[in-house]
Amino acid sequence: MESSQRRKSGLNLPAGMNETSLRLETSSPSSPCSSSFRSISISSPRMISSLSSPSSSKSTICSDRFIPCRSSSRLHTFGLMEKESPAKEGGNEAYCRILKSELFGSDFGSCFSPAGQGSPMSPNKNMLRFKTEHSGPNSPYSPSILGHDSGFSSEASTPPKPPRKVPKTPHKVLDAPSLQDDFYLNLVDWSSQNVLAVGLGTCVYLWTASNSKVTKLCDLGPNDSVCAVQWTREGSYISIGTNLGQVQVWDGTQCKKVRTMGGHQTRTGVLAWNSRILSSGSRDRNILQHDLRVSSDYVSKLVGHKSEVCGLKWSHDDRELASGGNDNQLLVWNQHSQQPILKLTEHTAAVKAIAWSPHQSNLLASGGGTADRCIRFWNTTNGHQLNNIDTGSQVCNLSWSKNVNEIVSTHGYSQNQIMVWKYPSMAKVATLTGHSFRVLYLAMSPDGQTIVTGAGDETLRFWNVFPSVKTPAPVKDTGLWSLGRTYIR
């Protein structure tokens, strides 16, 4: 009869215990405790002995334990550690599992091992042990913020810096009539003396940024046109490459021609100065090295490209010259060698965009044309490719910021955008749009904060993309520093 009652109740109760021995009472509304709490009353002395000491034989009412609402608690993160009762075995374990499941929920009951597999938990002096909980993606302490370490680091204790805001529109737009839409030309350059040079048709114009004054430097006449302009590093002289293959040098302050040098068979589309040498690249596939201190037109010829030379940049220490061509090659030349020391052939389109990092020696960036669309980074010491990223558009120009470790790229087909990247993560800082044609020309202001872009839409647009350089804190002189120590340069 007793077993049939146990089957009807649905509970597997130990022998000697009936259904009325265990009852759950809900507190009345007048009780200080809300309905989200429950109290358990156990009237059987036999059951009390299984939860308390074995010597206890008196009936006890356990009504002082209140369990919070399960929906607002995280009881599954705790493990209840309990010593095995020496008085009761067998049915006692089953009853404890049922009781804990009723009190704490089914998830809590699953934390204990099934009967017959040893003790539910190993004995431990601590009753509660907090288990490590994996934070969700919305947690303020999620791994995406703190990293993969379980502990807190000094960097994680500070909130991440908000991304730098870059204005999405140009702060100035200039009309540039007759600015050619030709990928292989280089018609814009900004001097260290804050003067912008632009080649428009057969003429070169100078725009002084401080007062917006425009000066016409020269006119090559109806039989020639401007293909490249490049200031010296000091900003006083400017070189001009022409469609007839000449290289002219002008005094930018006096608007006077200093010299004309020949040597190329066809147009000179790219120029690059180091401290004393002017390099010129041409459609005739050659690179000529000009030295204004000697009377000859050029002092050496570098032969290596199989098509038009359209990219040319000297490293900041004047030791290496990088050249890009329409043959998809990127070559690196030593200042003393007549043969390239590196031949980099990973690009699959013309290489016009070239930039040396001012922050790390022997770090070179290059960009490929429409069929390539990639910016690649090279270690010129060993020729290894460090990284590459597909930009999705033809890469026309690259320029490294001298104020921060970021690089700006301009693009043609098919987005015609300007993109600012953080190096080395290559995370996008900003994407700027406004030109309706390929952004073929790029130059940076002497303070490193502003860039100017030119396109076949015959406009020049000025963008504030980089922060100002951080001014180092002044060092106070001491007696040690004032002992007459000087620097030659």
Side-chain angles (χ1 to χ4, degrees), residues 65-78:
R65 176 175 294 180
F66 297 97
I67 306 302
C69 179
R70 299 169 186 171
S71 62
S72 62
S73 63
R74 296 187 299 168
L75 297 176
H76 64 278
T77 61
F78 293 84

Side-chain angles (χ1 to χ4, degrees), residues 4 10 15-16 64 69 75 80 84 86 142 173-174 207 224 227 291 303 318 343 349 363 370 395-396 421 465 468:
S4 62
D64 60 342
C69 179
L75 297 176
L80 184 62
E84 185 177 358
S142 62
V173 179
L174 298 180
W207 180 78
D224 206 350
C227 295
D291 191 337
V303 180
D318 293 345
K343 289 186 178 182
L363 176 57
T370 308
V395 184
C396 301
W421 311 82
V465 296
S468 59

